[in-house]
Amino acid sequence: MIIDSKFNNNMNNYKIIIDNNLCKDINNYINFNCKTLVITDDLIPSMYYENILKNNNTYLYVIKHGEESKNIDNFIKINEYLLENEFDRFDQIIGVGGGVVTDLSGFIASTYKRGIKLILIPTSLLAMVDSSIGGKNGINFDLYKNSIGSFYNPSLVLVDSKCLDTLDDRNYINGLMEVIKMSSCFDKDLFNIIKNNNINTIRNYNFEIITKSIQIKNNVVNCDPFDNNERKVLNFGHTIGHALEIMNNNLLHGEAVGLGMYLMTTSDELKNLILKYINIFNLKKDLCLDKNEILSKIKNDKKCELGLINVIYLFDLCKYEIKKVNYEWIEGVLSEINNWK
Ligand SMILES: NC(=O)c1ccc[n+]([C@@H]2O[C@H](COP(=O)([O-])OP(=O)(O)OC[C@H]3O[C@@H](n4cnc5c(N)ncnc54)[C@H](O)[C@@H]3O)[C@@H](O)[C@H]2O)c1
């Protein structure tokens, strides 16, 4: 399946190719007649990039896995590595990994020599359906998530659904929360696939889940690449989710967004679906859910202006509203947090 990402502004268009096992035939998709740096993390199985490294002039940079690696030190070190090895702006970077790798690779590619070719090979479900699509990238800085970053499109995204075979269930569900987000706003059929399955059967639908989610994200982003209007819907669950993510190191991004969505909907169907998958890992017992702390983190959110913040509220499946609300309103929805069990 090939999806075209087309823009009416100065962002470049690119193709998203989705298939099973395409890492095996990588030379069918990528041209290696320039220098190539592969950026990955230390838990990504090497079989996803070893065929790239069989080509001449290919280099490998491995970061430590985990959110902490999306930092300025790695940004500097990888830029130094590119300079030492005399990469010029006609060479290419390939990010092979989850959202941490795709965000960091994207930010480096957007700034090195004012922009170098970027190819993404997302390997986690979250990276396939979300972080590698739409041109947003960034690093965490000064305790704030994604506080430095840019909009920069890759030249190509290669999505190999086979990579999900080695992704553990917790990280799979983490990505599934972003799929639930997109399907609850836009696609009841996709929502029902997730609803009618469970953790033992859902992976049989990987190809459908990936394809439909990418189509949704791609359509939304193409209408509003710089996140001024329509794209805001993709922040569903993120206002409270980000606060919870900062407060709880043990909570993954998608899990935090899942809980954030739970509090921003009156749809029992959505609430039940979120809990069905998140509760598998019995996360709540170790979480800090202090309402005052959540509120104070939201007040520091970069999207908060003059005491008001935009939130996405879902009344029913595929029926949402972008609302400007104050802190008292948020305090009201937080009272429901105890129902998350
Ligand atoms: N740019 C965007 O639009 C956007 C959107 C959503 C999330 N994000 C960012 O994405 C990041 C989260 O991404 P993530 O959940 O992929 O986390 P991650 O990159 O940390 O990956 C999660 C874990 O899974 C491992 N992994 C990944 N693929 C694997 C595979 N196929 N087999 C075995 N292990 C594998 C990784 O090594 C890592 O340990 C956050 O930093 C978040 O801010 C960005």
Side-chain angles (χ1 to χ4, degrees):
M1 156 81 74
I2 300 181
I3 298 176
D4 279 306
S5 202
K6 289 208 164 122
F7 295 87
N8 296 323
N9 50 39
N10 60 0
M11 295 199 56
N12 63 300
N13 301 334
Y14 61 96
K15 283 198 187 316
I16 304 158
I17 303 180
I18 310 163
D19 209 340
N20 195 32
N21 244 337
L22 51 73
C23 288
K24 278 206 149 161
D25 305 313
I26 204 74
N27 285 43
N28 292 344
Y29 304 97
I30 301 177
N31 193 329
F32 288 102
N33 58 11
C34 61
K35 280 187 188 169
T36 299
L37 175 67
V38 174
I39 303 177
T40 189
D41 82 37
D42 57 358
L43 290 186
I44 305 298
S46 58
M47 61 185 162
Y48 302 142
Y49 54 82
E50 65 194 8
N51 285 341
I52 298 178
L53 299 178
K54 286 179 186 160
N55 291 283
N56 291 333
N57 284 322
T58 49
Y59 298 72
L60 176 67
Y61 197 102
V62 183
I63 59 170
K64 191 173 175 308
H65 65 279
E67 185 66 29
E68 303 74 42
S69 285
K70 225 174 83 174
N71 63 29
I72 193 91
D73 284 348
N74 277 330
F75 173 80
I76 293 171
K77 282 185 192 148
I78 296 173
N79 272 289
E80 283 170 353
Y81 187 78
L82 288 164
L83 287 169
E84 274 162 26
N85 290 292
E86 298 177 346
F87 273 69
D88 66 33
R89 67 193 181 89
F90 303 105
D91 294 324
Q92 61 189 1
I93 290 179
I94 308 182
V96 184
V100 166
V101 167
T102 59
D103 273 10
L104 180 65
S105 307
F107 185 48
I108 291 168
S110 74
T111 48
Y112 184 75
K113 307 246 167 156
R114 298 201 180 88
I116 177 173
K117 188 170 167 189
L118 171 70
I119 295 171
L120 294 175
I121 305 183
T123 60
S124 69
L125 181 58
L126 184 139
M128 290 177 184
V129 299
D130 203 355
S131 71
S132 66
I133 313 296
K136 271 193 194 177
N137 59 59
I139 55 172
N140 306 326
F141 183 68
D142 198 20
L143 296 181
Y144 293 100
K145 247 185 92 68
N146 303 322
S147 47
I148 302 180
S150 60
F151 288 95
Y152 187 72
N153 278 346
S155 309
L156 175 68
V157 181
L158 295 175
V159 183
D160 184 346
S161 51
K162 182 93 181 125
C163 294
L164 295 181
D165 290 357
T166 54
L167 189 73
D168 60 76
D169 281 346
R170 189 160 172 206
N171 275 297
Y172 186 91
I173 289 174
N174 181 45
L176 202 60
M177 287 298 140
E178 298 284 4
V179 178
I180 291 174
K181 176 191 80 179
M182 293 188 255
S183 63
S184 66
C185 293
F186 293 106
D187 188 338
K188 277 190 193 165
D189 291 342
L190 178 56
F191 186 90
N192 285 334
I193 290 176
I194 306 167
K195 186 177 150 190
N196 297 336
N197 279 283
N198 58 49
I199 191 59
N200 300 316
T201 57
I202 188 75
R203 289 176 188 247
N204 296 331
Y205 296 85
N206 276 345
F207 192 79
E208 220 166 333
I209 288 173
I210 294 167
T211 308
K212 281 173 173 279
S213 305
I214 291 179
Q215 274 163 340
I216 295 171
K217 175 138 191 198
N218 197 43
N219 288 343
V220 173
V221 166
N222 290 6
C223 297
D224 176 23
F226 298 110
D227 206 359
N228 295 318
N229 302 300
E230 293 92 336
R231 190 169 178 168
K232 288 195 195 306
V233 65
L234 300 176
N235 288 332
F236 179 33
H238 282 61
T239 302
I240 293 174
H242 264 163
L244 289 170
E245 204 178 348
I246 301 166
M247 288 161 56
N248 295 281
N249 285 336
N250 50 345
L251 200 60
L252 302 177
H253 176 80
E255 293 167 346
V257 168
L259 181 52
M261 289 191 290
Y262 181 96
L263 298 170
M264 288 288 166
T265 183
T266 37
S267 162
D268 286 337
E269 229 180 330
L270 175 57
K271 283 185 197 293
N272 292 337
L273 188 62
I274 293 167
L275 296 191
K276 168 174 159 179
Y277 284 97
I278 281 196
N279 277 349
I280 294 173
F281 296 101
N282 197 16
L283 299 170
K284 196 186 174 193
K285 67 178 173 37
D286 299 321
L287 288 186
C288 170
L289 298 172
D290 183 87
K291 289 171 206 146
N292 291 331
E293 207 179 327
I294 297 174
L295 213 55
S296 99
K297 294 281 180 290
I298 290 173
K299 285 179 184 170
N300 283 330
D301 192 307
K302 57 183 182 299
K303 295 188 207 82
C304 216
E305 267 175 46
L306 303 169
L308 294 172
I309 190 157
N310 280 321
V311 296
I312 317 304
Y313 198 86
L314 191 107
F315 298 98
D316 201 354
L317 293 184
C318 301
K319 288 194 185 123
Y320 65 84
E321 191 188 320
I322 302 181
K323 286 161 85 83
K324 222 178 217 349
V325 300
N326 57 21
Y327 301 131
E328 285 71 37
W329 188 92
I330 303 250
E331 219 170 343
V333 297
L334 285 176
S335 61
E336 227 203 315
I337 213 158
N338 298 330
N339 297 346
W340 192 58
K341 51 182 180 287

